[in-house]
Amino acid sequence: SDVYKRQINAEYGDDITTRMPPTRRRLALVALALLAIGSAQMQFEIPQEMLGQMFGGGMQMGRQQQQPKPTTWPKAVKTEIATEFDWLINTEWAGKTSKYSLLRDGIIQSSLKECKREDACKWAANNGKLLFNTPTLGVVEFTVEGTSAFSGDGQAAHRLQEHDASELKKVVFVGVKPNRSGSRTKLSFHKVVVDENEDSMIAEDLYELLGVSPETEARKIKSSYRRLSITVHPDKCAPTEKEACQKKFDELRQAFEIISDEDKRGYYNVGGISLVRNMENSWREVEGQQAQQMAQLDQQLQQVPHHHPQRAQFEAQVAAQKRQLEAQLDRGRVKGELENKMKNSDSEVQVPLSLEQLFHGTSSHQFHHRKLVICRGCRADPHKEQCKDCGRCPPEKRQEPKYANTIFGRQVVGMKDREVESKERCRHETMLVQGIRVKRGAQPGDDLGYVDDLGHQTPGKLPGRVKLKLAVAEHDQFLMASDNLFSTLTLSLSESLFGFTKEWDGLDGKKITIARKSAQHGQVLKISKKGMFNPKSRQPYGDMYVRIQVQIPKPGPDGKLVISAANAADTSASLSKETDVEMREGAQIWRRWSEAEEASEAKPNGNFPKDEL
């Protein structure tokens, strides 16, 4: 321990260990001992909590201080990224001396010295302004100029959302306050922060390169590849075209390697060439780990002399461990594990059903689902005719190390998610989903199961599963709230004064007939047990509430209004869904609830209620 005390004192000042509290002193000595051992054997990570216990309390260690406080926003400043500024995410902007990458989580990555620390600089955008928050400058505001997107030009706003470079280059952010020299800071567009490895991948459609389609059989794909490879073989080209031929030949070979392999072809179809490369890298990592473990076993065996009496036993043990490692690398099992890591998260899709389908149930429901798919070949030329309906693809999420400055230097303190933008283009396709079974009396929000591979396509990722959730489609006559139905019945003034008989079909298929000698505007009629069916409720059938709405006629040309008895033969009901009902967190709220509590009973068979007898 004396040796480690001397090392600490020499590094951070004389006798600093004696000025530490006893607990921190012991932890510091242990950590330095571990560091000395680790530097001789292997690299390792010291937990941030341990560093805090060792050197907490604001104590200075030479020039090294305790971790600086995180950058916080003033309470009066709005910190959200408004929807109209979503296009700023994953873009980089250049000032006079530094560049600033704006990430989704409101973090700025920059070459600026004060932004080098993890999460030190932050940004927000709202109310027509871009805001930077740095440790030394504080909050700096910028106004946006150069684009008509914020002046009502919807097409310009759409081009910004699609990261159209021509529109992004028009944008200039100008500082609200002048700097010390009197001028205002300006930020201009530099680039979209995209996957740096994407440029080395083939941008064209691999099927077009090979002159085939996704439906072409393997034998014809091979034949087309051989024919095309001969025409662009470097030995067949003129010397001036040799470099171009070599590039084309290599691309053809890569395209054939992917399309002729069943697994890689499937990856390419749903995640582009980025997914193919991601899966290849994952397999290389797994195989590299196995090779390293095999080499360690061989190294252990080499330490046993050949003339050792137990050499044969050691050889048998190593051979058994190698067989075990090979068994663990079962390609079928590992493939499933790697694919799960490459899958996007599950998503939810609302499946709308009519009130009639909810009431009766259905054995085979179908609906149309809009799904994002990758536009193959549009990264090479986004302006092609087949790419005109294609736009920006969802970014790929990756995990990368999170660094922090410690007394032992810059070290990994955890992992963080990072969005990687792609130059690939995507479009929406409508897919028909069939065979959904819904039980009678199902409720909104019920789970209808999962559908594999129905999720959006993302460059570099496998589509995730889609969780189907039951929802209620709009109905012309009724609004459903809880187990009850709400509707509005429109009457003429004469019908409200002299009485009426109205009938319509209920959800159960039976005729509902109500008759009254008079009615008032705003009066609510309650028809018991004519609402929705819910087998889980104490009362399986809800009620139907009908609000009376009286139409007041306009006077004639002479200014007179003549009211006569309505035509008794006209029993057709003019129903429309109630608008004064809403659901909040499962609770039924009605702005006319006091009227519903005092609702008059109405018989569904056409008999007059007791209050009118």
Side-chain angles (χ1 to χ4, degrees):
S1 62
D2 291 338
V3 174
Y4 298 131
K5 283 182 182 179
R6 288 195 296 272
Q7 290 181 4
I8 291 178
N9 292 335
E11 180 70 22
Y12 299 111
D14 293 338
D15 205 26
I16 191 170
T17 54
T18 61
R19 290 186 278 115
M20 284 185 180
T23 303
R24 289 183 185 155
R25 182 165 63 247
R26 287 194 296 269
L27 287 171
L29 295 174
V30 170
L32 193 60
L34 289 173
L35 184 63
I37 297 171
S39 61
Q41 296 181 355
M42 56 182 290
Q43 294 183 348
F44 66 99
E45 178 183 330
I46 298 179
Q48 197 170 11
E49 295 82 1
M50 184 174 179
L51 297 175
Q53 293 177 25
M54 288 160 35
F55 304 112
M59 183 191 305
Q60 290 189 352
M61 300 227 163
R63 295 184 179 179
Q64 184 74 35
Q65 298 184 357
Q66 188 185 7
Q67 281 280 5
K69 294 181 179 179
T71 305
T72 58
W73 291 92
K75 292 183 178 179
V77 176
K78 291 184 178 180
T79 62
E80 72 269 20
I81 301 170
T83 306
E84 62 268 23
F85 283 104
D86 275 348
W87 54 274
L88 281 172
I89 298 171
N90 294 329
T91 59
E92 186 173 274
W93 299 81
K96 190 174 182 180
T97 58
S98 300
K99 297 181 178 67
Y100 308 89
S101 298
L102 311 183
L103 306 184
R104 176 173 293 277
D105 51 4
I107 301 300
I108 298 175
Q109 284 187 350
S110 173
S111 57
L112 200 65
K113 185 176 180 181
E114 61 178 340
C115 295
K116 290 288 188 181
R117 179 171 56 85
E118 197 84 24
D119 302 349
C121 296
K122 300 181 178 181
W123 72 281
N126 50 72
N127 294 329
K129 293 181 180 179
L130 171 66
L131 298 91
F132 281 7
N133 189 4
T134 68
T136 57
L137 297 177
V139 177
V140 181
E141 296 183 350
F142 299 88
T143 56
V144 59
E145 296 181 1
T147 178
S148 58
F150 294 91
S151 303
D153 189 343
Q155 292 185 348
H158 177 72
R159 289 193 293 271
L160 287 180
Q161 290 290 348
E162 293 298 328
H163 280 176
D164 185 290
S166 61
E167 189 68 30
L168 286 168
K169 289 177 181 178
K170 297 178 183 178
V171 180
V172 178
F173 287 102
V174 182
V176 174
K177 295 182 179 179
N179 51 33
R180 293 179 180 177
S181 63
S183 61
R184 299 181 187 271
T185 303
K186 291 186 178 181
L187 302 177
S188 57
F189 173 72
H190 183 246
K191 67 176 183 179
V192 176
V193 183
V194 296
D195 184 0
E196 60 275 6
N197 299 317
E198 205 170 50
D199 290 338
S200 63
M201 303 177 190
I202 302 174
E204 289 80 7
D205 183 353
L206 301 189
Y207 291 104
E208 289 186 2
L209 276 179
L210 294 170
V212 297
S213 70
E215 294 77 26
T216 305
E217 58 186 28
R219 178 178 57 83
K220 292 184 178 179
I221 292 175
K222 189 173 184 179
S223 174
S224 179
Y225 164 66
R226 286 179 172 176
R227 185 180 66 256
L228 291 172
S229 61
I230 292 174
T231 61
V232 296
H233 196 283
D235 294 343
K236 302 287 185 179
C237 296
T240 56
E241 299 178 351
K242 205 155 202 162
E243 185 177 348
C245 286
Q246 183 67 53
K247 181 176 182 294
K248 191 71 174 177
F249 183 79
D250 291 340
E251 288 181 346
L252 270 176
R253 177 180 50 79
Q254 292 180 44
F256 178 70
E257 288 176 356
I258 293 173
I259 300 302
S260 62
D261 184 282
E262 184 178 352
D263 288 337
K264 292 182 180 180
R265 184 176 182 174
Y267 298 146
Y268 176 73
N269 289 340
V270 298
I273 195 169
S274 296
L275 177 59
V276 177
R277 299 305 179 219
N278 287 346
M279 290 298 297
E280 288 176 346
N281 293 336
S282 297
W283 274 112
R284 278 194 286 268
E285 184 179 346
V286 170
E287 291 166 352
Q289 290 175 353
Q290 187 197 38
Q292 184 179 8
Q293 291 172 330
M294 292 285 193
Q296 288 175 350
L297 290 175
D298 290 335
Q299 187 178 7
Q300 291 174 7
L301 184 61
Q302 289 175 4
Q303 294 176 358
V304 180
H306 287 278
H307 58 273
H308 194 281
Q310 293 182 329
R311 169 78 185 197
Q313 182 180 351
F314 290 144
E315 290 177 347
Q317 290 177 352
V318 169
Q321 289 179 355
K322 284 186 175 182
R323 288 193 297 270
Q324 186 177 0
L325 285 175
E326 291 172 353
Q328 289 176 355
L329 192 63
D330 176 64
R331 295 194 70 86
R333 179 183 60 81
V334 175
K335 177 187 174 185
E337 293 176 354
L338 295 180
E339 287 179 346
N340 283 334
K341 291 180 180 179
M342 289 294 168
K343 273 193 176 182
N344 277 323
S345 302
D346 294 347
S347 58
E348 283 189 0
V349 169
Q350 301 291 322
V351 181
L353 273 79
S354 67
L355 293 179
E356 290 80 4
Q357 288 175 315
L358 286 178
F359 190 92
H360 296 284
T362 177
S363 59
S364 182
H365 179 63
Q366 62 183 31
F367 77 103
H368 289 90
H369 170 62
R370 279 171 58 82
K371 172 182 176 178
L372 272 175
V373 297
I374 298 174
C375 303
R376 290 193 298 266
C378 291
R379 177 161 61 93
D381 184 6
H383 303 292
K384 288 192 298 187
E385 179 64 23
Q386 67 193 55
C387 304
K388 65 179 182 179
D389 296 327
C390 300
R392 185 176 164 195
C393 288
E396 177 191 350
K397 288 186 178 180
R398 296 180 184 172
Q399 280 211 328
E400 62 179 21
K402 183 176 182 179
Y403 293 92
N405 294 324
T406 71
I407 62 169
F408 299 107
R410 186 172 173 82
Q411 290 196 338
V412 177
V413 295
M415 301 295 290
K416 65 177 181 179
D417 288 331
R418 180 195 169 201
E419 283 190 356
V420 179
E421 200 86 10
S422 173
K423 292 182 181 177
E424 299 283 2
R425 311 298 285 171
C426 291
R427 69 172 179 270
H428 277 101
E429 284 189 356
T430 301
M431 302 181 61
L432 182 63
V433 183
Q434 298 175 301
I436 301 173
R437 182 175 179 271
V438 181
K439 295 181 180 179
R440 181 172 182 248
Q443 299 297 302
D446 285 354
D447 292 336
L448 300 178
Y450 287 89
V451 181
D452 291 330
D453 304 326
L454 191 62
H456 296 309
Q457 291 184 4
T458 301
K461 287 284 190 178
L462 284 166
R465 298 188 306 171
V466 169
K467 185 178 183 180
L468 303 181
K469 283 274 192 179
L470 193 151
V472 182
E474 291 286 331
H475 199 279
D476 292 335
Q477 294 183 325
F478 303 108
L479 186 144
M480 176 183 174
S482 186
D483 299 332
N484 300 321
L485 295 175
F486 296 84
S487 184
T488 300
L489 174 62
T490 302
L491 300 176
S492 65
L493 182 58
S494 61
E495 287 174 331
S496 68
L497 294 175
F498 300 107
F500 65 90
T501 299
K502 297 294 180 182
E503 59 182 22
W504 63 88
D505 293 329
L507 295 183
D508 56 3
K510 297 178 181 179
K511 191 74 69 177
I512 296 176
T513 304
I514 60 172
R516 296 190 69 85
K517 295 180 179 180
S518 64
Q520 296 178 357
H521 180 77
Q523 185 178 2
V524 178
L525 305 179
K526 175 183 175 183
I527 307 173
S528 299
K529 298 183 180 180
K530 285 298 179 178
M532 296 300 295
F533 172 69
N534 184 1
K536 300 177 182 179
S537 177
R538 290 192 306 169
Q539 298 292 337
Y541 292 93
D543 300 325
M544 181 183 294
Y545 292 90
V546 179
R547 179 166 60 89
I548 302 298
Q549 182 172 317
V550 179
Q551 281 188 332
I552 305 299
K554 294 181 179 180
D558 56 358
K560 294 181 180 181
L561 181 62
V562 179
I563 306 297
S564 58
N567 182 9
D570 183 12
T571 61
S572 60
S574 175
L575 291 174
S576 59
K577 66 179 181 180
E578 178 63 85
T579 58
D580 286 349
V581 182
E582 58 180 308
M583 295 291 292
R584 291 183 185 174
E585 298 179 358
Q588 181 175 283
I589 300 173
W590 194 15
R591 289 191 288 272
R592 299 177 180 271
W593 188 246
S594 60
E595 297 171 5
E597 287 292 320
E598 301 169 359
S600 304
E601 289 285 347
K603 301 292 184 180
N605 54 10
N607 294 331
F608 289 105
K610 292 180 180 180
D611 62 342
E612 292 195 337
L613 292 178

